[in-house]
Amino acid sequence: MSKKASLGQVSDFDIRLLRLFKTVAECGGFSAAESVLGISRSAISLHMGDLEKRLGIRLCQRGRAGFALTDEGREVLHASQSLLAAIEGFRSQVNQLHQQLRGELNIGIVNSLVTQSRMRITQSLRALSEQGPGVRINIGMMTPSDIELRVLDGQLHVGVVPLVSPLAGLDYIPLYEEDSLLYCSQGHPLFWRADADISDADIAAAPAVIPGFRLPPEAQQCQQLLDGSATASDREGIAFLILTGRYIGYLPDHFAASWVAQGKLRAIRPQQLHYQVPLTVVTRKGRRPNLVLEKFLHELAVSSD
């Protein structure tokens, strides 16, 4: 009486033998399977014999009468087909996980960028949402310093900040340059005066609102020429005070454009009184792999202005 072996744990070798058996059965014999498997008939016979010993089952009749599966062989063939199909399904699902966008993107952005005509951030967020409809996007509007600190401690995956004093633990990727001009509003004494009639002394004497956040050296030099009678924590606060008609101040040209079009703001001596601020995308150095973040950064890199 033969003692049947047990496959309590199916090894990689067992799976290879079952694949071989499936191929032999589907080809209808050892000879026909030779070219498909790329091994000799004698090697196939040895492997089949090994599988039969491991299962404790006679899988097929072979000899002068030809090749034929036993009843048990047909059952094992059916079970093998189910097993190998399940393995392939598992492989496909795991591979798909590497391509599917799931999870969250926590992004911090300095305010007043939505009016920027170079819509690279908007385009990238749209592409991310289209390709990963299950991705949850969380946007926080905050100061550059807050953004950098939150990217450092992992609260944010990515941020958009002006490049001022790079922090050692962060990577800064150039995004675009932002132009800022000196503005006054319709109620200000300088509003109706021609640029040629506005002197440096007039600028220095006018009450001005200056930013309470860090700026690059070029921007700082321009701000130092102003009478800083007021401060604001962000660009929107600067706009509020300029629109009172009591203060002058620098704003990004794209942010001021709608008020300029309405005749509520004008730039003062724009050829001389302006500066550029490089805007950057900031991420933490040595961050853990994150498919959602990498997709967002990829879209930023390929987006056109």
Side-chain angles (χ1 to χ4, degrees):
M1 181 176 179
S2 66
K3 183 178 179 181
K4 292 187 178 181
S6 174
L7 288 180
Q9 293 184 346
V10 179
S11 67
D12 289 342
F13 183 63
D14 295 318
I15 293 173
R16 286 198 296 271
L17 291 178
L18 289 171
R19 289 187 188 279
L20 179 140
F21 167 60
K22 176 176 175 289
T23 301
V24 170
E26 291 175 347
C27 289
F30 293 6
S31 298
E34 278 185 288
S35 59
V36 177
L37 294 171
I39 58 177
S40 67
R41 194 180 340 177
S42 59
I44 294 173
S45 179
L46 287 173
H47 287 314
M48 285 291 294
D50 194 6
L51 178 60
E52 289 178 330
K53 288 177 183 177
R54 295 171 74 83
L55 295 176
I57 295 173
R58 183 72 171 175
L59 296 174
C60 61
Q61 304 293 342
R62 57 261 199 194
R64 293 182 179 179
F67 176 87
L69 291 177
T70 63
D71 291 341
E72 292 86 352
R74 282 188 287 271
E75 292 292 333
V76 172
L77 174 62
H78 178 72
S80 299
Q81 290 169 333
S82 298
L83 172 63
L84 296 174
I87 291 174
E88 188 57 34
F90 172 80
R91 194 195 319 276
S92 298
Q93 287 183 343
V94 171
N95 288 339
Q96 193 174 17
L97 287 177
H98 290 285
Q99 300 173 2
Q100 289 180 345
L101 294 174
R102 296 180 180 177
E104 293 187 332
L105 179 70
N106 299 322
I107 177 172
I109 304 178
V110 293
N111 74 339
S112 310
L113 285 187
V114 71
T115 52
Q116 170 62 255
S117 60
R118 289 169 284 184
M119 303 282 285
R120 293 178 62 182
I121 299 172
T122 302
Q123 291 169 358
S124 301
L125 290 173
R126 179 177 63 232
L128 180 64
S129 179
E130 289 174 348
Q131 297 177 45
V135 173
R136 181 182 179 87
I137 300 173
N138 305 308
I139 294 182
M141 312 304 294
M142 55 195 78
T143 65
S145 295
D146 284 341
I147 292 173
E148 289 174 318
L149 291 176
R150 295 189 187 196
V151 171
L152 268 177
D153 66 19
Q155 294 183 55
L156 295 175
H157 296 113
V158 63
V160 180
V161 298
L163 182 60
V164 182
S165 301
L167 301 183
L170 299 176
D171 286 323
Y172 295 81
I173 305 169
L175 188 60
Y176 43 65
E177 300 280 340
E178 184 180 63
D179 295 313
S180 288
L181 305 175
L182 183 63
Y183 290 94
C184 65
S185 71
Q186 191 173 27
H188 196 276
L190 298 178
F191 188 84
W192 299 108
R193 290 173 59 177
D195 284 337
D197 296 333
I198 301 175
S199 66
D200 289 348
D202 293 327
I203 299 296
V209 53
I210 58 176
F213 47 87
R214 296 180 301 150
L215 288 171
E218 179 190 354
Q220 291 179 22
Q221 291 176 4
C222 292
Q223 298 286 347
Q224 287 171 359
L225 300 177
L226 304 181
D227 172 20
S229 301
T231 61
S233 63
D234 55 36
R235 285 101 69 94
E236 189 170 347
I238 294 173
F240 266 114
L241 289 174
I242 295 174
L243 287 165
T244 66
R246 300 289 298 169
Y247 302 90
I248 63 174
Y250 282 91
L251 287 173
D253 57 358
H254 62 86
F255 183 47
S258 64
W259 291 303
V260 172
Q262 297 171 48
K264 294 180 179 180
L265 290 183
R266 63 155 288 196
I268 303 171
R269 293 169 49 190
Q271 297 302 316
Q272 298 86 28
L273 302 175
H274 62 89
Y275 60 79
Q276 286 189 325
V277 174
L279 289 173
T280 62
V281 177
V282 60
T283 58
R284 187 175 60 182
K285 289 183 177 178
R287 63 186 183 273
R288 298 173 64 182
N290 183 317
L291 186 60
V292 172
L293 173 58
E294 299 310 320
K295 184 61 182 176
F296 174 71
L297 295 177
H298 171 75
E299 293 298 332
L300 273 178
V302 300
S303 62
S304 58
D305 291 344

